[in-house]
Amino acid sequence: MTRLCPIVCLLCAALAAPLVAQDPAPVPAPETTPPPAEATEAPPTDNPQPRRRRRPVVVIEAGTVHPVAGPAIEDGVVVIRGDRIVALGRRGEVEVPPNATVRSFPTGHVYPGLVDAASDAFTDAAVRTDGSSDAADALADVLARRGDREDELARAGITTAYVAAASPALVRGQGAIVRPLREGFETWQGHERAALGLRLTGGPDSPHALQRQPQLQAAVDLFDGLDEFRKARTDHDEALQKYQKEFTEYLDWHRKKNGKDEPKKEGEGDAKTAPPAEAKPDAPKPDEAPREGGRRRRGGQPPREDGGGGAAEPASAPTVVDALLALAQDPPKQDPPKPDPAKQDPPKQDPPAADAKPAAKDEKKDEAPKRPTWPKAPPKDPAKEALLRVVDGELPLRVEAHRPDELRAALRLWDERQIPVMVLERAYGAAGMANAIAERGIGVVLTDVWPGSLPEAYEAFDPVALPARLHAAGVPVAIATGSARRADQLRLMAACAVAGGLPADAALRAITLTPAELLGIAADTGSLAVGKFGDVLVCDRPLLQSDARVLLVLAKGRPEFEAN
Amino acid sequence: MRRYLPLALAAAVSPFCARAAAQDVLLQARRIVVAPDAVLDDGRVLLRQGKVAYVGTEVPAEARARARRVDYGPAFVVPGFVLAQTTLGHDADLAERALPFTPDLRAAEAADPWQEDLLELPRHGVTALALAPASGNVAGGIAALVKSGRERAVVGDDLYLTLSLARNARQAERPPTSLMGAVDLLRSAFDGVRTGIGQGPDAAVLRQAMQGTRGVFVYADNFAELNAALDLGRDFGLRLVLVGAAHAEKVLPRLVQQQAAVVLGTLRPELRRAELELPARLAVAGVPFCFGGDPELLRQSAALAVQYGLDRRSALQALTRVPAALLDRDGTLGALRQGHAADFVVFTGDPLDLSSAHVATWVDGVLVAGSEPGAAPVAEPPAAAAGVR
């Protein structure tokens, strides 16, 4: 008997396994961030249901809560469940869940985590001085933590930063949005390629406008040839569609000729001869367009996705048989002619036999259609594809331009190339053209909002008064550090802007919500609002005061810095 | 011509200013900082003939009634900033580079009170400064006191002696070419005075320094330079003030022991954290220090120091009272106490918060920058106007 027990158990287990697979227990949705150790567990019950992890709840109570998107809340409360804010309001009016971790700062001030719209954090000297980058380069591929002061963005209250290389290259590649953490950073998923950088300035070392002209023109010329590139891609797509249609006709003809019926509809066929399509999810369906860039194969079939050799795997067995039969009866006379790589236009399709010989069609209705040839894909150019994304508005263009003539060139670029989303960086000389910038809806990211921070060549510009001038004209203004080493000074720069005439609430917005808007992440961060990430900065006094100390920084509800 | 128009206007209105200065002025504001440790809320100060006559409740009712009332409302009033050492960017005229040892030269002889840099300073809160020989000479000479007001006078030509152990003082074209040589040069000179060998004007200045009647400011940045300067101060009994002193944290115990003071350079956001935290460490250790470097960035330096742990009171002292004391002028400068010069600056808020904007600067009881409440602002200097263009 004792010998039989294990066997019985194994049999039971084997029988139970399919049942479990058919009726699985509900699985909680995956968390964006793994819950920390203090996550509360569901109380154990007799019901053998799988345990569901509850997301931790953190409650911040403070003397003043500054949501940025609304008026300040005295004696306020912020409730964060998991990584999102779930409630916000005055104490007593907001329900505090039981088992919540409550952090109380009776005289503290709570702000959203700061957003640095321009930083060089997590880059090294090689990246910063690389003059050979192009539009296809992605900075996210080379970011790394170095463990020095320049990695300490979270300590300064910065929970989100746009990182780009301030290199001398004309095209600086694509910057990334990162989330600084206590030990390193994480790249914001979906924003690894957040914007394309363009350096439309000669810097302070090119004092004469004529000296700068070639560089300005080169930037405008970057966008030349994009129409042709786009047309080549469009033509190729059309050629692929045509190919698919002709190839289907080609198969159908041979199927009929060999006396086979039409492929049976899904579910009607015998499972032994026609397995359902979902049994082989990788197999291309008959009505599925061949993949772009696939290698042209003998017989014109699209390549297998798994890169395997031989004929493409059909959706059903009869289709394979039909195709092989057709090939056997009508073998290719010769390989298709090799396309000219320099030729951008897609190769001409062989006209159907019926069109080529209408008379013959009348005479021989059953003549086999000519097997179509696989259209050649246009040459790949990732840099142009990136520029196309800019022109299509999928990728913002960040243009660094300092002097008025450089800024005018940027506006001309916006006008002529119809750049949908443009952001100006370090626009020191923008005061005189604030209205023109505002009319185009262009945002401005200002660094060096600090007295005496500009080189002597720029002494005519007032970096402290500029934010107020632009704000008065209606330009969205973000204040950024420009350098990870200045992370601590982001709020002091905002304070300087206030001294230059910027309203205090606009200054606070310039380091939180406005940069989030310019980066396209305002739905998730930049202000304290229900549904946004739990990015919270707690100070012991108003943020713009020089002696304000950072007490606590939460990013997605997790503590990334806490003062001793 | 446009460039000098404001100067001409200023010269034209100066007699009226002088008459205005003759009348008592009753200064009122929400907060008046008489000294870093004495703050008047809703305070008043009576100014008479360019000096502070009465403070707070001491102002007699009769004088209050006769005085012209200047009420800055919610603003903050603080004593004018004192810059203990600067060359105003004129290093070439403030260092005799062919000769390394010129302790008797006087910076006052190279001072031009009409230079445009002086017109800029009141906008940044600076009301008095010491124009000092540059760091290019091992012994540069004697500093001069200049007021940045409309009178623009050199009010003292006999301040401290300037020495230099900084890299600038060591040049390949003439000795000394090394730090060792520079230290030896100074040590030999002081030894000569001590033994009576040294004579003449040079020796007279050194003798005053050794007797403690004249302060000695030494340019020194790194540990070796600071250490050498402290050795000289200890061996010859000098009243030592170290200028620059970027690495002063490395000699902090010696600074405390020898009661040396420090004139810090401009604090910038890019500096090492140790430099940014240095003012707080000096304050905790009890080392007298003041902010120096770029005259236009004194307040920013102080604000950065506050961000990195310096308390506000020490920061304001480092802008006002401490530099005045280092210049031996704490009886007349660096505070708004009775008998002090009526040098003060008005800000929209606490001057150590960079969100506070400059409103006005008064020197010797005369408005020299900004505006009086309800009045048009004083004509901007040419450089300021250029910034607006």
Side-chain angles (χ1 to χ4, degrees):
Chain A
M1 182 64 189
T2 51
R3 287 181 186 174
L4 288 175
C5 280
I7 299 171
V8 171
C9 289
L10 283 172
L11 282 172
C12 291
L15 289 170
L19 295 175
V20 172
Q22 287 170 5
D23 186 18
V27 178
E31 297 286 348
T32 309
T33 56
E38 63 266 22
T40 54
E41 297 284 347
T45 61
D46 294 331
N47 187 3
Q49 291 288 330
R51 289 183 177 181
R52 183 177 301 188
R53 278 181 93 79
R54 282 189 185 170
R55 291 173 296 175
V57 179
V58 179
V59 176
I60 306 290
E61 298 177 346
T64 311
V65 174
H66 304 264
V68 173
I73 304 168
E74 298 298 329
D75 202 14
V77 176
V78 181
V79 182
I80 303 166
R81 183 187 293 276
D83 60 1
R84 302 271 176 180
I85 297 172
V86 294
L88 181 77
R90 287 179 66 87
R91 184 163 27 194
E93 297 174 0
V94 174
E95 185 183 356
V96 176
N99 299 328
T101 303
V102 179
R103 306 296 305 272
S104 189
F105 304 92
T107 59
H109 291 254
V110 176
Y111 299 89
L114 305 184
V115 180
D116 188 354
S119 175
D120 62 357
F122 313 116
T123 61
D124 56 20
V127 172
R128 294 173 192 176
T129 56
D130 180 14
S132 62
S133 57
D134 67 18
D137 291 340
L139 195 68
D141 298 338
V142 294
L143 294 180
R145 176 178 181 268
R146 283 164 300 145
D148 60 12
R149 172 185 165 192
E150 300 189 16
D151 290 341
E152 297 178 352
L153 272 64
R155 181 191 178 109
I158 297 171
T159 54
T160 308
Y162 171 77
V163 179
S167 71
L170 174 65
V171 184
R172 291 169 161 171
Q174 299 172 41
I177 299 178
V178 301
R179 306 266 309 170
L181 305 175
R182 185 191 296 266
E183 296 290 340
F185 67 95
E186 64 182 18
T187 310
W188 190 309
Q189 198 171 1
H191 292 274
E192 297 88 352
R193 295 167 180 259
L196 177 65
L198 192 64
R199 187 170 190 263
L200 205 60
T201 175
D205 298 331
S206 61
H208 199 281
L210 288 177
Q211 206 175 340
R212 300 189 287 271
Q213 196 56 36
Q215 184 174 8
L216 304 186
Q217 190 57 47
V220 176
D221 293 346
L222 268 179
F223 291 83
D224 286 346
L226 281 187
D227 292 340
E228 291 77 4
F229 183 73
R230 186 197 298 276
K231 185 174 183 307
R233 283 176 39 159
T234 309
D235 290 348
H236 180 248
D237 290 344
E238 290 173 356
L240 282 175
Q241 289 177 1
K242 187 179 176 187
Y243 165 82
Q244 186 208 349
K245 183 184 172 191
E246 290 177 355
F247 190 71
T248 306
E249 292 171 358
Y250 174 77
L251 288 179
D252 288 346
W253 187 90
H254 284 286
R255 202 177 288 127
K256 287 177 184 172
K257 185 178 180 183
N258 290 296
K260 302 285 185 183
D261 293 333
E262 288 289 325
K264 292 180 179 177
K265 289 181 182 176
E266 190 176 325
E268 291 179 2
D270 186 354
K272 291 179 182 175
T273 56
E278 55 265 30
K280 294 181 180 179
D282 291 337
K285 296 172 183 175
D287 56 349
E288 185 176 286
R291 286 177 172 78
E292 184 182 352
R295 215 175 134 195
R296 189 163 59 85
R297 310 179 69 81
R298 289 175 69 91
Q301 292 242 5
R304 285 173 54 171
E305 192 178 13
D306 59 4
E313 193 170 356
S316 60
T319 311
V320 173
V321 174
D322 292 347
L324 291 173
L325 283 172
L327 288 172
Q329 292 177 0
D330 185 18
K333 292 177 183 176
Q334 59 182 17
D335 285 343
K338 292 184 177 178
D340 182 4
K343 197 173 179 180
Q344 295 291 319
D345 291 333
K348 290 181 181 177
Q349 301 297 305
D350 293 334
D355 296 339
K357 297 177 180 177
K361 182 185 176 184
D362 295 337
E363 295 170 2
K364 298 181 180 179
K365 288 183 180 179
D366 289 340
E367 185 176 350
K370 197 168 183 180
R371 181 165 41 80
T373 53
W374 178 256
K376 177 183 178 297
K380 287 216 165 196
D381 189 339
K384 282 194 173 170
E385 284 172 9
L387 291 172
L388 267 186
R389 290 187 65 207
V390 168
V391 173
D392 292 342
E394 298 168 5
L395 191 65
L397 183 65
R398 307 260 299 208
V399 180
E400 179 179 341
H402 301 171
R403 294 182 170 89
D405 63 321
E406 297 163 353
L407 290 163
R408 278 192 291 273
L411 297 186
R412 187 159 60 88
L413 181 66
W414 188 91
D415 291 338
E416 292 180 0
R417 305 296 180 178
Q418 297 180 338
I419 309 293
V421 188
M422 181 185 279
V423 175
L424 295 173
E425 295 179 337
R426 301 178 191 237
Y428 306 128
M433 55 184 69
N435 290 330
I437 295 171
E439 285 168 7
R440 290 164 173 81
I442 297 174
V444 175
V445 174
L446 294 175
T447 53
D448 306 300
V449 186
W450 189 264
S453 59
L454 298 185
E456 195 174 348
Y458 294 159
E459 65 180 359
F461 306 136
D462 187 347
V464 174
L466 182 58
R469 297 283 297 274
L470 294 174
H471 175 76
V475 177
V477 179
I479 296 172
T481 62
S483 164
R485 182 157 277 211
R486 297 189 203 141
D488 283 339
Q489 278 76 53
L490 181 57
R491 53 199 176 92
L492 287 193
M493 289 191 203
C496 286
V498 173
L502 188 68
D505 56 345
L508 183 56
R509 206 178 192 283
I511 54 176
T512 52
L513 189 54
T514 301
E517 290 169 348
L518 294 180
L519 295 173
I521 52 174
D524 288 317
T525 192
S527 64
L528 298 177
V530 173
K532 291 196 177 188
F533 283 145
D535 297 342
V536 174
L537 164 64
V538 185
C539 296
D540 62 347
R541 59 198 72 197
L543 185 66
L544 301 187
Q545 288 190 6
S546 299
D547 48 356
R549 303 273 177 263
V550 176
L551 302 177
L552 177 68
V553 179
L554 299 182
K556 291 184 179 176
R558 290 186 302 191
E560 298 296 345
F561 172 77
E562 187 158 12
N564 295 326
Chain B
M1 181 58 197
R2 280 181 61 191
R3 187 177 179 81
Y4 294 101
L5 187 59
L7 284 177
L9 285 173
V13 300
S14 60
F16 301 101
C17 292
R19 274 202 294 278
Q23 187 184 6
D24 290 354
V25 172
L26 183 65
L27 172 68
Q28 289 181 302
R30 183 164 70 92
R31 176 164 288 194
I32 297 179
V33 179
V34 175
D37 51 358
V39 180
L40 302 178
D41 288 325
D42 293 325
R44 53 176 68 94
V45 172
L46 189 80
L47 314 179
R48 178 176 290 166
Q49 295 180 341
K51 293 187 183 301
V52 176
Y54 299 99
V55 176
T57 55
E58 298 171 358
V59 180
E62 184 188 355
R64 194 188 313 164
R66 283 186 315 196
R68 183 167 64 93
R69 191 178 301 262
V70 175
D71 189 350
Y72 278 104
F76 274 45
V77 174
V78 295
F81 302 157
V82 180
L83 184 54
Q85 177 278 328
T86 182
T87 61
L88 290 177
H90 294 262
D91 289 33
D93 285 332
L94 290 166
E96 183 52 55
R97 288 175 178 266
L99 304 172
F101 193 77
T102 57
D104 57 326
L105 295 188
R106 292 179 180 270
E109 291 170 354
D112 177 7
W114 291 90
Q115 67 187 74
E116 290 179 4
D117 306 282
L118 281 174
L119 293 172
E120 275 288 303
L121 295 185
R123 287 181 59 236
H124 303 286
V126 179
T127 56
L129 58 95
L131 188 67
S135 59
N137 284 12
V138 175
I142 297 170
L145 181 64
V146 179
K147 294 293 285 284
S148 60
R150 200 165 295 283
E151 298 299 327
R152 290 185 287 271
V154 176
V155 294
D157 64 349
D158 201 21
L159 294 180
Y160 52 80
L161 168 67
T162 304
L163 306 179
S164 177
L165 294 174
R167 187 172 298 277
N168 275 357
R170 291 137 28 201
Q171 298 173 9
E173 293 80 14
R174 54 123 177 94
T177 59
S178 67
L179 180 59
M180 293 185 299
V183 173
D184 183 64
L185 179 62
L186 288 174
R187 195 172 284 279
S188 300
F190 281 112
D191 274 335
V193 173
R194 178 181 281 169
T195 57
I197 299 173
Q199 296 293 330
D202 295 2
V205 173
L206 297 185
R207 188 172 297 112
Q208 291 167 349
M210 292 171 66
Q211 291 168 348
T213 56
R214 187 186 296 278
V216 177
F217 281 44
V218 184
Y219 294 100
D221 277 321
N222 60 33
F223 173 79
E225 295 164 1
L226 291 167
N227 216 32
L230 287 165
D231 285 347
L232 282 173
R234 178 197 59 204
D235 294 346
F236 297 103
L238 306 179
R239 195 149 53 89
L240 208 58
V241 178
L242 300 171
V243 182
H247 294 254
E249 80 275 5
K250 296 171 182 169
V251 293
L252 200 51
R254 291 199 67 183
L255 290 174
V256 176
Q257 186 185 359
Q258 294 186 221
Q259 298 181 333
V262 173
V263 178
L264 295 167
T266 304
L267 295 190
R268 296 181 184 277
E270 302 83 6
L271 292 180
R272 296 177 301 128
R273 190 182 289 275
E275 283 182 78
L276 295 170
E277 292 173 348
L278 180 58
R281 295 188 64 182
L282 292 173
V284 169
V287 175
F289 70 94
C290 64
F291 295 104
D294 190 337
E296 299 180 1
L297 296 176
L298 282 186
R299 191 163 74 97
Q300 283 71 25
S301 293
L304 266 180
V306 167
Q307 191 194 11
Y308 280 87
L310 182 66
D311 63 286
R312 287 177 182 260
R313 184 166 167 269
S314 298
L316 195 54
Q317 280 183 340
L319 289 170
T320 55
R321 199 172 70 182
V322 172
L326 295 180
L327 300 179
D328 296 328
R329 294 293 192 279
D330 48 342
T332 55
L333 300 175
L336 288 175
R337 296 190 188 282
Q338 198 168 18
H340 281 65
D343 299 346
F344 59 89
V345 195
V346 186
F347 291 98
T348 55
D350 192 316
L352 296 172
D353 289 328
L354 295 179
S355 54
S356 304
H358 173 261
V359 176
T361 299
W362 293 59
V363 175
D364 294 329
V366 177
L367 177 71
V368 295
S371 61
E372 271 191 42
V378 172
E380 291 285 338
V388 176
R389 262 201 309 273

